[in-house]
Amino acid sequence: MSCQSWDIFCTVIDNFGDAGVCWRLARQLAREYGFVVRLWIDRPAVLSRLVPAVQPDVPEQSVSGVEVRRLTHPFPQVRPHEVVIEAFGCALPENFVEAMARRTPAPMWINLEYLSAEDWVAHYHALASPHPRLPLVKYFFFPGFGPNTGGLLREADLFDRRAAFQADPTAQAAFWQGLGVPPPQAAAQRISLFAYENAAVAELLRLWVEGPDPVFCLLPEGRLLPQAAAALGEPLATGRIVRRGRLTLHVLPFLPQDEYDRLLWACDFNFVRGEDSFVRAQWAARPFAWHIYAQDDEVHWRKLNAFLAVYGAGLAPAPAAGLAALWHAWNRQAGVARAWQAYVAHAAALADHARRWAAQLGRHPSLAQRLVQFCEKRL
C-alpha cells in the first residue's frame, strides 16, 4: 500500500488559520506529489475568503487539483483514502472511523496538531495512540522548528517566487496597482498591520503620525479595523486612505492567501496573527511581530516566549531584547510606542536576522515532506 490518496478533515474553530493551513497542505500534496486529495471542511465560505476559486455554496468541487467537500452531519458513506488527517483535533465522523477500520489495510491516521516551539513538542511528536475499540492507530504529528518535529508548511518553489518578486520593481509596482495603492515613497517604512483586536493600536498609530520618519501602513480589512478607526477619529473601510502627519494608511480588502504572501514580501515589517500568517511572515524573511491567539490560563505566553527563545538564539543580546520587548508590549496591549522605538534602533540587525532565519529553516524538510516520509515508512 502507498500513500497516493489523502483525506484531510478541517473544522473551522475561529478565524481563518485552520482553513488556511489545511488548504496550503492539501494544495501542496496535490501539486507537488500528484496525490489524490480530498479536503473536508465544515465552512467552505471561510475557505473561499482565502481561496476565491472555492465556491462557498457548492458541496463538492475541484480547485487546484484538490477535491473540496463540505463536511456535513450526517456524514456520507465514502471509502477512506490511504492517509487520513484529522487537523487540529477535529473529531472525525463516527461512520467514517468505522469505514477506516473496515479498510484493508487500514489508513494511516494522523492528528495534525497546532504549531509550537515548546520543548515538549519533540517528545510527543509521532507518538501512537491505539483506538480503544477498533483496530486503528492514530499518530500525533506536531509541526515545529527543530529536526525532531513535523516541520513547517513551505512550497518547493516558495523561496524562488519570493526572491523574484523582491528583486523586481515592476512586479512590485504591479502588485500595488492591483491593490489600488500608489507605490510607497522610497524613504517610507512599509508596514503591514494584521492583528486581532488590540487596544495598543491607538498608541502605535499616534507614534507613527508624530514620528520623525514616514510610515506607509497597509491595514487589511479585519478585526482590528474598528479600533484603528476609533484611534484616527474617522471611519475606515476598504479603499480608504488616511494621511495624517508622517503616516499614510491604506485600508486593504481581506486578501486571498497568495496576495497576502506578496504583501508580506513587499513590506519592511509585518504585524501578523494566529498560525498561518505567523509562518508566512517567517518565510517572507522580514522582521515581524506576532499577535498570538490568547488562550485560557495564559498558555499562549508560554508558546510566545518559547518561540522568542528559539528565534532570538542567533541574535546579539540588545536586538533580541528589543524584539522581545515589542512582542510583549503588543500582546499585553500596552507600552508599544516605547517598544517600537527600541525596535527601530535595532532594525538593521533584525532585518539581517530575519533573512538568516528563513534560510536556516528552509534547509529543513517541509511539513508536507515530513508527512509523506512518515507515511511511506509505515505503509
Side-chain angles (χ1 to χ4, degrees), residues 6 21 66 70-71 80 82 87 94 177 185 200 237 252 257 277 294 302 304 309 322 336 375 379:
W6 298 59
V21 169
V66 176
R70 184 187 295 275
L71 177 56
E82 295 162 323
E94 188 57 35
Q177 184 178 16
Q185 304 171 22
L252 302 180
Q257 278 186 333
S277 60
R302 292 203 296 270
L304 184 140
V336 72
C375 293
L379 291 175

Side-chain angles (χ1 to χ4, degrees), residues 82-103:
E82 295 162 323
V83 181
V84 175
I85 293 184
E86 176 183 287
F88 313 122
C90 73
L92 298 183
E94 188 57 35
N95 63 323
F96 186 82
V97 175
E98 291 170 353
M100 290 168 60
R102 292 193 298 270
R103 197 187 199 282

Side-chain angles (χ1 to χ4, degrees), residues 187-232:
Q189 187 169 24
R190 295 161 295 178
I191 300 172
S192 73
L193 183 55
F194 185 53
Y196 303 115
E197 295 88 347
N198 195 317
V201 72
E203 184 182 355
L204 189 62
L205 293 175
R206 185 168 58 250
L207 173 69
W208 291 342
V209 168
E210 300 171 354
D213 301 313
V215 171
F216 186 83
C217 178
L218 292 309
L219 175 62
E221 178 189 0
R223 291 168 58 172
L224 191 62
L225 198 61
Q227 288 177 301
L232 293 169

Side-chain angles (χ1 to χ4, degrees), residues 24 28 52 61 101 122 127 157 181 185 194 200 205 241 258 265 285 287 292 305 317 328 332 343 347 374-375 377:
R24 288 192 194 273
Q28 186 177 1
Q61 56 195 299
L127 288 185
D157 64 347
V181 173
Q185 304 171 22
F194 185 53
L205 293 175
I241 301 174
D258 293 339
W265 301 345
I292 191 170
N305 288 323
H328 287 165
R332 284 197 313 270
Y343 155 73
F374 182 80
C375 293
K377 287 180 181 179

Side-chain angles (χ1 to χ4, degrees), residues 336-348:
V336 72
R338 178 180 294 181
W340 179 259
Q341 291 169 324
Y343 155 73
V344 170
H346 302 291

Side-chain angles (χ1 to χ4, degrees), residues 78-321:
V78 296
R79 176 175 170 79
H81 283 320
E82 295 162 323
V83 181
V84 175
I85 293 184
E86 176 183 287
F88 313 122
C90 73
L92 298 183
E94 188 57 35
N95 63 323
F96 186 82
V97 175
E98 291 170 353
M100 290 168 60
R102 292 193 298 270
R103 197 187 199 282
T104 304
M108 278 290 302
W109 184 3
I110 292 173
N111 186 345
L112 180 63
E113 293 283 356
Y114 287 104
L115 172 64
S116 178
E118 294 170 278
D119 291 339
W120 57 264
V121 165
H123 177 73
Y124 287 97
H125 174 62
L127 288 185
S129 175
H131 193 280
R133 181 174 54 86
L134 299 172
L136 294 169
V137 177
K138 175 163 53 177
Y139 295 90
F140 292 90
F141 207 89
F142 285 86
F145 302 92
N148 297 320
T149 69
L152 301 173
L153 275 174
R154 184 188 76 251
E155 301 83 32
D157 64 347
L158 177 62
F159 282 14
D160 290 340
R161 289 188 288 114
R162 184 200 69 201
F165 177 85
Q166 291 178 338
D168 187 348
T170 302
Q172 294 173 43
F175 172 71
W176 296 125
Q177 184 178 16
L179 295 178
V181 173
Q185 304 171 22
Q189 187 169 24
R190 295 161 295 178
I191 300 172
S192 73
L193 183 55
F194 185 53
Y196 303 115
E197 295 88 347
N198 195 317
V201 72
E203 184 182 355
L204 189 62
L205 293 175
R206 185 168 58 250
L207 173 69
W208 291 342
V209 168
E210 300 171 354
D213 301 313
V215 171
F216 186 83
C217 178
L218 292 309
L219 175 62
E221 178 189 0
R223 291 168 58 172
L224 191 62
L225 198 61
Q227 288 177 301
L232 293 169
E234 58 181 277
L236 295 178
T238 299
R240 180 84 174 186
I241 301 174
V242 176
R243 294 182 176 89
R244 190 80 58 80
R246 303 294 278 169
L247 170 67
T248 300
L249 181 142
H250 294 264
V251 181
L252 302 180
F254 186 91
L255 297 178
Q257 278 186 333
D258 293 339
E259 288 294 289
Y260 183 69
D261 283 348
R262 282 188 279 274
L263 177 65
L264 297 175
W265 301 345
C267 289
D268 302 305
F269 189 97
N270 296 299
F271 286 86
V272 296
R273 75 182 204 196
E275 180 169 321
D276 185 53
S277 60
F278 167 56
V279 173
R280 304 310 282 194
Q282 293 173 64
W283 295 139
R286 302 293 200 212
F288 68 102
W290 182 27
H291 193 183
I292 191 170
Y293 187 77
Q295 296 175 272
D296 295 335
D297 302 323
E298 305 293 304
V299 172
H300 57 288
W301 283 108
R302 292 203 296 270
K303 294 179 69 172
L304 184 140
N305 288 323
F307 177 76
L308 277 172
V310 172
Y311 184 75
L315 274 167

